[in-house]
Structure formats: structure tokens, C-alpha cells
Amino acid sequence: LQMMRHKRGHVLFREVGGAMIPVWGNYIHDCKVWMYVVDASTPGTVPEAITELFMLLQDPLLMGKNVLIVFNKKDLPLVMRRNELEAFLQLQYMPAQIQACASVMMTSAAEGDHVDEVLKWLQKHL
């Protein structure tokens, strides 16, 4: 849980990891925008993460809310390439209302690579 001050108020970041999938619904009811982070350095877990993302994208509490899909850990040796990740994601085949709300970025939080773009996205959509 991380709280950050923003010029429009406070921004609350919650990490609701995979082990907490059954209780995600308790945390999404009051969000304005949301971010879904996928570990791009473990190819074996990407399909499952994308499946969970598809389920969340169809949740009535999140429909129409802007989502930033972040593929993280791009600095690691086994990281999947962006085109491979986007092939799994298949955003272009999702309904138009989901496509209009979704953005995709690749980052390395450890190295700070593209983290500024994530913050700019958040600022724009809050």
C-alpha cells in the first residue's frame, strides 16, 4: 500500500497480487483508473496473467475506466519482447470500449526505465 500526493488529491496504490485474486473485488470498487502489471521476464506466467486481465477488463466495476497495462522487468535477460507480449494480449480484438480505455507500456521499475511515462499517464487520467 503506497499513498502519493497529487495536485488533485491523494493517489492510493494497492498491490493486489495473484495470490489475492479471490478478494480483488474488495479493492476495485472505488478506483478511478487502474494499472495492471505483468512480469515480462517469466514467460511461463504471462498467459495466466493475461487471462486474469481479460476477466478484470470485463468486470462491471472496471468497465469504462482507464487501464494501464505495464509489462515490467524489461531489463532482465529472459524478458519477452513487446511484440510477443502484444500477441498474447490481442488488444486489437477486444471490444471498442475496452480498446479506448487501455494503454500498454514496457518498463523496468528496478532501473527506473519508463517509470516517468507511467506517472505521466496516471497524471493525465486522474
Side-chain angles (χ1 to χ4, degrees):
L1 191 61
Q2 177 78 29
M3 179 76 74
M4 291 179 62
R5 182 104 175 106
H6 183 270
K7 61 183 166 187
R8 294 184 193 159
H10 288 87
V11 178
L12 178 64
F13 290 92
R14 293 180 193 233
E15 180 180 352
V16 186
M20 296 182 64
I21 289 171
V23 297
W24 280 357
N26 297 334
Y27 296 95
I28 62 176
H29 66 280
D30 62 348
C31 75
K32 307 291 184 254
V33 299
W34 58 292
M35 191 170 26
Y36 191 83
V37 181
V38 178
D39 182 345
S41 72
T42 55
T45 63
V46 170
E48 181 182 350
I50 298 296
T51 300
E52 293 300 333
L53 172 63
F54 288 158
M55 290 177 21
L56 284 169
L57 287 169
Q58 297 173 40
D59 189 300
L61 293 173
L62 295 174
M63 280 287 207
K65 294 183 180 182
N66 290 308
V67 57
L68 177 59
I69 303 161
V70 178
F71 292 108
N72 191 34
K73 299 187 181 179
K74 71 178 209 157
D75 57 303
L76 296 181
L78 296 177
V79 71
M80 295 177 70
R81 293 185 306 261
R82 184 176 178 129
N83 62 334
E84 294 172 317
L85 293 163
E86 288 179 350
F88 273 115
L89 187 57
Q90 296 191 7
L91 190 59
Q92 69 272 20
Y93 299 113
M94 292 185 191
Q97 73 266 25
I98 293 174
Q99 288 184 38
C101 297
S103 300
V104 179
M105 290 184 193
M106 286 198 73
T107 65
S108 168
E111 293 186 354
D113 195 17
H114 297 285
V115 172
D116 57 332
E117 291 177 32
V118 170
L119 296 173
K120 286 177 189 174
W121 184 93
L122 288 168
Q123 185 175 21
K124 177 182 176 185
H125 291 94
L126 284 175

